[in-house]
Amino acid sequence: MTMHRDVWVLLEAEDKKIKSSSVALIDEGRRLAVQLGGGLTAVFLGQTVEGMDHLVGTHGASNLYFIHDETLHQYAPELYERLLTQLLLGKKPYLVMAAATSLGSDLMPRVAAKLKAPLVSNCVEIRVGEDMKFIKPVQNGRLHATVVCKAPGTKMATVDPDVLTIAKEENQPKIAEVTEMRPDTEGDRLSIRVTGFLKADHRTIDISEAEIIVAIGRGVGSEENFKIIQEFADRIGAAIGGTRPAVDAGILPFERQIGQTGKAVSPKLIIMCGISGAMEFTKGIENARTKVAINMDRQSRVFKSVDLGIVDDLNRVIPQIIEHIDAMADEEKGQ
Amino acid sequence: MEHMWTREIFWNVGADKKIVVYCLAVIALGFFSYGIYRRYFLWRKVSRNKGRISFDALGKRVRSLIIDGLFQRRLLREYYPGLMHAFILWGFFVLFLGTLTIALQEDITSPLMGVSFLKGYFYLLYKLTLNIAGLLAMAGILMALVRRYIIRPDRLSRSAEQGVILIWILIILVTGFMLEGLRIYSLKNSWEVWSIGGWIVSEILSRLNAQDFSVLYLHKVLWWAHLIISFGFLAYIPFSRLIHLVTSPANIFINAPTSQAVLSPIVNFDASGSFGVSTVKDFTPRQIFDFDACTQCGRCQDNCPAYISEKPLSPKKVIEELKARWLETGELMKEGNGVEGKRGGENDGLLDEDVIWSCTLCMACAESCPVYISSFEKIMELRRSLVLMKSTFFPEIATFFRDVETFGDTFGRGRAFREDWAIGIDVKKISDGNQADILYWVGCQGTFHDRNNLIAGTLAQLFKAAGADFGILGKEEYCCGDPMRRIGNEYLFQKTAQRNIELLGRLNFNKIVTYCPHCFNTLKNEYPQFGAHFDVIHYTEFLRDLIRAGNLKITKNMEKRVAYHDPCYLARANDIYNVPREILKSIPGMRLVEPERAKRKTFCCGAGGGHMWMREIPGKKMNEVRVKEIMNGQPEIITTSCPYCLIMFEDGVKSLGLEGIKCLDVCEIIRDAL
Amino acid sequence: MKVIVFVKQIKYVYAQTGIDPKQNFIGPDDIVHIMNPLDELALEETLRVKEKHRDTEIVVISLGDGFAEDGLRKCLSMGADRAIHIYDADYGKLDAWMTAMVLAYSIRNQEFKLIFCGRRAIDDNGGLVGPYIAEILRIPHVSRVVKLEIDGGRSKVLVHRAVERGNREVMECTVPALFTIEKGINIPRYPTLPGILRAQKQVIQRMEIRDLELPLKSFGPALNLTETISLSNPKPKKRSGGLADATVSASDRLRLMMGGGDTETKGDSTLVEGSTDNVLSEIERVFRESGILPE
Ligand SMILES: Cc1cc2nc3c(=O)[nH]c(=O)nc-3n(C[C@H](O)[C@H](O)[C@H](O)COP(=O)(O)OP(=O)(O)OC[C@H]3O[C@@H](n4cnc5c(N)ncnc54)[C@H](O)[C@@H]3O)c2cc1C
Ligand code: SF4
Ligand code: SF4
C-alpha cells in the first residue's frame, strides 16, 4: 500500500523571491513526507527565482518542477489550472498542498474539480495516521473540524499561511533536482484575462478592508503625538483607525472610527494605542484576529481581550518598536 | 344721579347709521368666513388620509382649552413673553365681550324687551373693566414690539407680517381710546373718570383747549375709521398669522388628550401600502392642522437639545418648512394643475436627512409647545418613510437592525449570554411553571452593557435584600422594541412587541418592574396599543415602596452634593420625577442640587431615538452640553435612573476631563446608604 | 439577462455556553440561523447589476432543509425575482463537491449569464462550492471579487479580485461566468417594508434532489469526496493578557461562574511591561506571525 506516498507542495513567489509561506509549506511537506515515507516534490509556476533549487532542496524537497513561460509571470487562473492538472494527472502524488493564499485558494479547487480529487481548504493541521486527518477551523474559528478524504487518489489541501512557520532547525544545504518545463500556451483560448494590478495604499485603504490596523485612542493625546503613530503605521503598512474620542478630537475623520457607531473591522492584526477598550469600541473589533494593546494603565479593560498587552507609555514604546523594525530591516539587507 | 351713568351708543354718529355698521360687519364676516373656508380646503383636502376629529376625553379637552387657552398656562411658564401674550389675549377677550354686551343690549334686550342694562354702577364697572383691558392689551403690544424689534431673541424671526399685525392692533386700541376721550371731552361728565383711558385723552384735549366743533368732527371721522379698521382686522384674520386665534385653541382642543409618550402605530401592513410620510399629502389632516396652529413662538426650539447642541435641527423650523410645503402643495392643488408628484409634492427634501436623524425623540418640543404641537411626531413620520419605504439610513443602523433580528438584543450578543449578568446572584427564573410576584425586566442595557449590567445586578441584590418575590425571564427576555420603533422601524418593533406580549401573557406574575425607563415606557404605554395591559412600574417606584415599607433601611449618612438628572422617558413621558428625589432625600446628609432643566423640563442625554447606535451628527456633543449644565450646580455625583443617560454622562464627564465626578445610578447610591 | 445567486442558510454557532463536552459545549441557545453574510453581499451585487441593467432576472437558489426558506424569503424581500428551494431533509451531510453537483445540475438547462456566490460560508469555511459549480458547468470563474462591472456589450465582465494586503488584480472575464464575492464589495441593503411584505406572499419554488437528473447512479453522502468526522475545540491561542469575556471558552466560562462572575479572568501568561527587550521580542513574534516581517 505504501508505494506512492509522495507529497507535493505548490510554491508561490513575490518580488522575485519564494514567499516565506511557501518556504514554510516545504517544511510542513517534509514533515508529512517523512511520516508518510514518501518523497517531497515542489512545483512552481512563474518566473525564474535565483537560488530556487538551493532553497527548495535545503528545506527538504528532492524535486522541483519549474514551469515557466511569459504567460505565467502573472497568475493566469486557467493556464495554471491546465498545467498543474496535467502534471498531477501524470505523477499522481499522494498529497498536494498549497498555502491558502489568494492564489492557492483559487487554483486548488480548480485542479481538484478537474481531478475529482478530495480537497480540504484552510487547514491548520494535517495529521498522518491510518487515515490522513485534516484539521480546519469552522464556525468563524470557534471550532475545529476534523476532515478525512473518502475518495481514493490524490488528496489535496490548502493550509492557512498564518499557521505555517519556517522550521528553526538547521538544514543541510542541498540542491533539488529541477525539471524545467516550457509549456506551449499558444493554443489556449482564455476566458479570463488579467489586465492589471492595483497596489493598495495603506494610508487610503478603507479600514474595514485593511489587514493591519493601528488604532488610536484618547491616549495618543495630540496631533503632535499622531506623527509618531503615522510613522509607525507606515513602517508596518497599517491603516489607521481609532476610537470616537480620536475622531471627536479631529485627529481622524469619521470614516476611520471603529466601533458601535463607526465601522466594524476584521484585520489580521490590530494594534491599539492609548485605547481603554470601552465596549462601544470593542464591538467593532470582534472579528480581528490578533490584538495587541499598548496602554500605560495596567488595570485597563483593553487588556482583557488582547493577545499581547504592553503596559507602557506609547510615546516611549512606539519609537523603540520603530527602531527595532528598522534594525531588523537592515539586518535583512545585510544578509 | 345714578341713572345718568350711561351713554348713547351711536352718539354723534346717529343711530340711523346702524344699518351701515351692520352691512360692514356682514362684509367683514364674509371675508372672514371665506378665508376660513379656503383654509378649510387646505386643512382637509391636501391630505390623502381621512381624518376625523375625535371628541373622546371631552373633559380633558375642555380643561386644557380653558387652562392652556384662556389662562395661558403653558405660555406663562416664561414670564415676559407669557405675560405679554396673556395681556393681549385677555385684553382683547374682554374688549370682545364688551362689544358683545353692547350688541346684546342694542339688538336684543333693548328693542325686544325695552331693557337697557348698561347704566348705573354696572356701567361704571363695565367701563372700568374695558379700559383696564384696553390698557393691558396696549401694554402687551408694546412689550411685543420691544421684544420683536429691540431685544429680539434668537428664536423669533423678524417678520413684516408680525409688525403689521402689532401696529394694526395698536391702532385699534389707540383709536378706541381717542374716541372715548373725544366723547368725554365734549360731554364733560365727571363720573367718566372711571373710563381711565378715555379720561386721560380727554384731559389732554382740555389742556390743548380743543374746539368743540373740531372735536365732534374728529370723533365722527375716527369713529368710522375705528370701525373699518376693526372690521378689517376681523377680515384679515384667516389670511394672516392671526389665524392662530382660531387654530391655536382648536389645536389645543384636538391634541390635548394625545400622549407624547406613545407613537401612533401603523395598523395595516399591506404590501401595496405606503408607510410614514414621503409627501405632505401623507400627513393626516390633524397633523396638517398642527402646521397652521403653530404661532412660530419658538419655544420648542428653545428647549430642543438638538438645536441647543447646534445640530441641524430646529423643531420650529421643521413645522415652518412642512407648513410651507403644505401651502405650496395646497395652492397647486387649488389651481388644479395636476400636481401629483410636482413641486412640494415630492418627498426628496421635505426635510434634510440630517435634520431627521438629529432628533432624539426627547419630547421636549411637544412639552413646551403652548398649542400642543409635536414636532417630533412629524419627524418620526419622515423617519418611518426613510426606513420602511426607502431603506436609507446610516450603515450602523442596518447593523443594529440585523443584530436585533438575529440575536434578539440591541448588542447582537445573543440569548446564550442573557443570564451572565446574574451569575453569582442567584435569581429565580419565571417560566411556564414558575411564578413570582414581580417580574424584573432587565432590558438589553442592563443585561449586556459592561457598566449597566453591574447596576442590573445591584438592583437584583436590593430586591433580594428587601425580601421581594421576584424573578427574571432569563434567556427568554428579548429587546422591548423601543429603539427600533424610535428609529422608524415600526414593523420590527411590532413583531418584537407581539413576541413579548405573547410570552408575558403566558406567564404568571403580578407586576413588571423595569430597570430601563425606555422598557418601562414601552411596556407600560405602548404595548396596550396591541391589547396588552400589564401592571408596569419603574424600579425607582418599587424602591420607594420598599423604603417606605421599611423593607430597605437606610442607615448611612452621605454628606454629598448630588445632582439628579431626569430621564426623558421617566419624567417627561411618565411624570416620575418626585419618586427618585424622595428616595435620594431619604438619605441623611445628602444635598440634592437641581440642574437648570429638571423634572418635566429635563434635557436629553443624547442617546434617545436610536442615537446610542448612530454616529454623532455634526454639532456639539449633546451629552457634554448636558453634563456642563448639570455641573453648574457643582455636584460631586451625577445620578440618574436610566442606563442610557448613565453611559452618556460617563462619556461626557470623561471627554470634558472632569476629575473626580462620579456617575452613579440611583440604586447604587441606595445600596451604599444601606 | 438571467442572473443566478446561490445562497446558504447556515446554523451559526456564536457561543459555547453548553455544559456537555461531547457537544463541544454547544448548547441549544448557542446557534442562530442566518443567511451566510457573504451570500448576502453576492445578492446585493446582483441587485446592483439589476439597477443598471433593468431586464435582469434574479433567481436565488438554496439547498437546504426548512430553514433555507427563511434565507430565500430574505432574498426576495431584498429584491430577488424568483427563489428556488432544493429540499434536503438531511441537510449538512453533503460535502462541497456533492453540494456543487446538486446546485450545478439545478440550473444546467437554464440560460443564464452570470452566477454569484459568496466567497465562503462562515460555518464550514470551505470556499469550494462556487469554484466547483463553475468547473462542473464548464464556465470560467473568478474568486474573491470586490468590484464588478458588466461591459456595455454584456459579453464580458470587468472585475477586481482581492489578493493579499488589500491589493487587487484587475481581470476581464467572458460570460457566462461565475463569481465568488468577497467582503468589501458593497454594503447589503436592508429590505424595505413593502419588500418584506411582498416576499411573504411570493411562492418559493421547491425542487427535490431526485428531480435533478444528476449523472450519478445513486446519490447521497456516500459519494462525498471528503467527510467531517468530528468537531473539537481549538487549543487556546497563546495570549499575553487574558481572555475576552466575549471569547471565553466553555471551560473558562464554568470557572468564571464558579468564581462569582468576575470577568477579569487572567490568562496563563502575563502582560509585558518593564523590560524593553521582552516587549520587543514579543511584538516581533506577533509581527512575524502576522506576516509583517519575513519569517
Ligand atoms: C452612544 C455612544 C456611542 C459610542 N460609540 C463609539 C464608537 O463607535 N467607537 C468608539 O471607539 N467609541 C465609542 N463611544 C465612546 C466609548 O464609550 C469610549 O468613550 C471610547 O471608546 C473611549 O475611547 P478611548 O479608549 O480612546 O479613550 P479613553 O477611554 O479615555 O482611554 C484612553 C486610554 O489611553 C491610555 N493612555 C493615556 N495616555 C497614554 C500613553 N501616553 N500611553 C499609553 N496609554 C495611554 C489611558 O490609560 C486610557 O486607558 C461611544 C460612546 C457613546 C456614549
Ligand atoms: S423630540 Fe427633542 S430632539 Fe426631537 S425635535 Fe423635539 S425637542 Fe428636538
Ligand atoms: S411648534 Fe409650538 S412651540 Fe414650536 S414654534 Fe410652533 S407654536 Fe411655538
Side-chain angles (χ1 to χ4, degrees), chain A residues 3-8 33 36-41 63 91-96:
Chain A
M3 24 186 284
H4 251 323
R5 303 250 266 185
D6 286 349
V7 176
W8 281 43
L36 286 165
L40 178 64
T41 300
N63 290 300
K91 308 287 175 189
K92 295 205 173 56
Y94 182 75
L95 172 68
V96 183

Side-chain angles (χ1 to χ4, degrees), chain A residues 22 26 39 48 66 70 81 113 212 226 240 296 298 311-312:
Chain A
S22 290
I26 307 175
T48 315
F66 175 38
E70 284 277 289
E81 169 188 332
I212 303 163
F226 181 65
I240 299 183
M296 7 187 231
R298 195 165 209 299
V311 186
D312 207 338

Side-chain angles (χ1 to χ4, degrees), chain C residues 224-243:
Chain C
N224 282 349
L225 300 183
T226 62
E227 187 175 270
T228 298
I229 53 168
S230 68
L231 288 177
S232 59
N233 277 306
K235 285 190 224 104
K237 268 204 280 189
K238 178 170 185 270
R239 281 176 184 276
S240 314
L243 296 168

Side-chain angles (χ1 to χ4, degrees), chain A residues 102 106 110 114 121 137 139 142 144 146 148 150 193 195-196 198 200 289 298 304 307 311 324, chain C residues 11 14 123 125-126 135 141 143 161 164 167-168 170 172 225 227 229-230 232 237 240 243 273 284:
Chain A
S102 66
D106 189 76
R110 292 174 189 270
K114 283 270 145 54
S121 56
Q139 295 290 0
R142 180 172 286 283
H144 278 177
T146 305
V148 294
K150 290 181 65 193
R193 269 194 340 117
T195 56
L198 297 176
R289 199 150 152 170
R298 195 165 209 299
K304 281 201 270 176
D307 299 277
V311 186
H324 188 67
Chain C
K11 294 180 177 58
Y14 72 93
D123 58 346
N125 186 23
E135 292 292 337
H141 87 267
S143 65
R161 176 172 182 272
E164 278 70 25
N167 298 336
R168 294 167 170 203
V170 187
E172 258 175 36
L225 300 183
E227 187 175 270
I229 53 168
S230 68
S232 59
K237 268 204 280 189
S240 314
L243 296 168
E273 67 186 313
E284 192 182 323

